[in-house]
Amino acid sequence: AGARLAVITAQPEGAVSLIADSLFVIPAQTMVTDAGSASLLPMGTVYEIAMLVFLDLVAVQIRESTGQSLDDVRARHFNLE
């Protein structure tokens, strides 16, 4: 009810991508596209690594745009572990 949908995918033509309010395409090998690939990394490993880097950078941008220090973030993170 009024929610917005952001999709992060390597498959921009997928059904969920088509209804997304925001779409972020990570052009990396996945399990769907690894057949015949020259990559040494199996299945979706390249995509997973690319997602890790992308989302870490999103977290940095959110932290900076909200004026939070790394210590602020670290204090909450340690409470989750």
Side-chain angles (χ1 to χ4, degrees), residues 18-72:
L18 298 176
I19 63 169
D21 297 299
S22 299
L23 180 63
F24 302 91
V25 179
I26 308 290
Q29 173 182 298
T30 66
M31 287 178 55
V32 174
T33 61
D34 74 334
S37 172
S39 175
L40 295 176
L41 300 174
M43 299 176 281
T45 301
V46 173
Y47 179 69
E48 292 165 3
I49 293 168
M51 288 275 293
L52 172 70
V53 172
F54 175 74
L55 292 171
D56 270 359
L57 292 171
V58 168
V60 168
Q61 192 163 32
I62 291 170
R63 181 179 58 81
E64 289 177 350
S65 69
T66 58
Q68 298 178 64
S69 70
L70 194 51
D71 288 336
D72 295 334

Side-chain angles (χ1 to χ4, degrees), residues 11-19:
Q11 305 293 324
E13 58 282 336
V16 177
S17 298
L18 298 176
I19 63 169

